[in-house]
Amino acid sequence: MTEAASDFITTALSGYDLLADSQLNKGAAFSEAERDAFNLHGLLPPNVLTLHEQVSRSLQALRAFETDLERYAFLSEIQDANETLFYALLVGNLEELLPIVYTPTVDAGCQQFSHLFHKPRGLFLSLPYKDRIDRILAQPHFDRVEAIVVTDGERILGLGDQGAGGMGIPIGKLALYTGCGGLNPATTLPILLDVGTDNPDRLADPLYIGWRHERVRGQDYDDFIEAFVSAVTARWPNVLLQWEDFAKSNATRMLERYRDRLCTFNDDVQGTAAVATGALLAAINVTGVPLTEQRVAVLGAGSAGCGIASLIRAAMRDAGLSDEEAGRRFFMVDRDGLLVERMAGLASFQLPFVQAKQAVADWKLGHPDKIDLLDVVRNAKPTALIGVSGQAGGFSESVVRAMAEFNKRPVIFPLSNPTSRAEATPQDIETWTEGRALIGVGSPFPPLTRDGARIKIDQTNNSYIFPGIGLGALAVGASRISDGMFMAAAKALAGISPARDNPKHNLLPPVSALRDVAVTVALAVALQAHKEGLAPNVPIDTIEARILARRWTPTYRPYRRAGAAES
């Protein structure tokens, strides 16, 4: 148990117990006085290092590894041993380390999670222990928790069901909450809801750490989720809960069920929507096509795709279109082709985006029984093409060339993660559009060469949105996360687009600026929460100061032994 006292941290831990606490351990950076006070002499080498020296040594070791998965494992070990060092590494090297800590390397991390597992982090809540959730959450170690990221491991990135290996996603997301948003890592908690897995490779793996059972569905699944949410709200009434990588059949359903019971959101549905909307609003500065004239084709009509369409449609309404006019400007393509009215198997969240049969009756089709993406591009002539399908190659050369034929500056966002699942590579899009496309990707890709200059590709990733959402909501104690707060986040992101000042510049700020981006987004989100009455007890003139005061910076503070006499 620790307590902050002015510039000091007071703790009763000493010796190995202090070194074993990842939130307090400084490794060789403990001062001589601290080594005296906490019985550390002999447990550490005699040379006292600075945090800067530790970062330099760690970077040297990190860069010596041959694969990104090895780097991922190395960083995980640092995080489990010394969180301050881990976050100093991350914050100081965001552009280099973000692809290691999160996408695309986290996909391999999830697949190999059981093999890499060496120290528990967060909570594994398994369905057989549903009746023990209250007792598990009651541990004093979790008293300071303010932000939770939770998954059930069923739809991890584009990989599908990874069971308990899905824990890599909440761990990675919360690393970005701290690294980009500045949340104190001691207040964050990753959770894996283990309801089994249908992945035969995981079940057959003798090292698999999860519950060896086929994935539970139906009422038993819903009851388990309810038990979890009830326990969380009882333990932390003001917690921020982020749902992550749930299957299409559950993502939107769970969001709608619980969004008015606590401060919660689904990043795949709402975070993806906000970053895509923000990037599209930024692209308008370059294309000159106003939002009211945009036509948007989306490959992947699941919860993420429909979430994107919903937020862009709301932005179109704000720009002056009626709901009906805005709805007609979306063309959602799923595995069975364009969503058309009276199509079998439509989900409730897809219904607002089906096209009328009459609207497509005179289209020229490649196959009379299915309207595929190429048919959509040739007939609807969309101005923007967004991919969240998880289908590598989903944007074929014919599709991309057709987009370039109908648009001087086509907007093409293959957003699926990891890189192996992207609908097209930036290089192919660049080639097929003769360098005219505005490209946004979900995972990092190498720069392109255009007119002799190297061009960084906009990483249109949720990391531009969710850290600021969490920071802003927690700073003002928002009771709920509203659609308006996500719209405010999207517009704030578009407002700091480098392309606003120069259309030759990127649509989004560089990844290295994500901590500043998070503050901008947080301020917009917090002000919107105040406007909607979701933070009624917070004076508006204190909001910015509250946000800045909440930002945790990875530095070493001096320690004082609990019970020691004041000097």
Side-chain angles (χ1 to χ4, degrees), residues 274-288:
V275 72
T277 301
L280 179 60
L281 293 174
I284 289 171
N285 295 310
V286 180
T287 66

Side-chain angles (χ1 to χ4, degrees), residues 66-86:
E66 293 185 1
T67 70
D68 283 346
L69 183 60
E70 289 174 315
R71 297 181 183 97
Y72 175 89
F74 177 71
L75 287 173
S76 296
E77 291 174 0
I78 293 178
Q79 185 179 18
D80 288 338
N82 182 339
E83 290 195 18
T84 302
L85 174 57
F86 170 80

Side-chain angles (χ1 to χ4, degrees), residues 436-474:
R436 292 186 284 116
L438 301 176
I439 306 169
V441 292
S443 290
F445 278 85
L448 298 173
T449 300
R450 183 181 297 169
D451 298 329
R454 287 173 64 82
I455 306 295
K456 288 186 177 181
I457 305 302
D458 283 304
Q459 191 176 332
T460 313
N461 187 279
N462 298 18
S463 54
Y464 280 90
I465 293 293
F466 72 81
I469 292 283
L471 177 61
L474 289 171

